Amino acid sequence: MPDPTHDSDPVRRRERGLRRVNTTTRRTATAATAAALLLGAGYAHVLPSVSQLASGVVEHSSGRHPQSPANAPAPTTQPAQTTTGAS
């Protein structure tokens, strides 16, 4: 009886190879999507505290408390500098 793993028909070998590549590609894409979702969930858990600091509201275990910025912007007497992309 012929061994099915050593098929001499090139069409069958090509089809088997294409199925193997397709399966590997799908598994890799699924793993990458799952990893991206996990990383996104982890960063989403951390980032709200950063955005709250930028807005001046910090969340503590006892609730939200308004917080003034650490340094107020200082007025300047220099004219604004602009750069255009023209040459």
Side-chain angles (χ1 to χ4, degrees):
M1 179 171 237
D3 187 8
T5 59
H6 292 93
D7 196 3
S8 62
D9 185 19
V11 174
R12 288 186 184 179
R13 286 193 330 222
R14 184 193 69 206
E15 292 298 323
R16 188 174 52 235
L18 288 174
R19 277 193 305 271
R20 193 179 299 164
V21 169
N22 187 14
T23 301
T24 303
T25 302
R26 286 181 186 264
R27 288 180 181 174
T28 303
T30 302
T33 302
L37 288 174
L38 286 174
L39 283 173
Y43 286 131
H45 181 71
V46 174
L47 289 179
S49 63
V50 174
S51 65
Q52 289 171 356
L53 289 175
S55 67
V57 176
V58 178
E59 187 172 330
H60 297 283
S61 59
S62 62
R64 292 178 169 224
H65 301 285
Q67 182 180 12
S68 61
N71 295 327
T76 181
T77 58
Q78 297 178 349
Q81 296 179 354
T82 59
T83 304
T84 63
S87 46

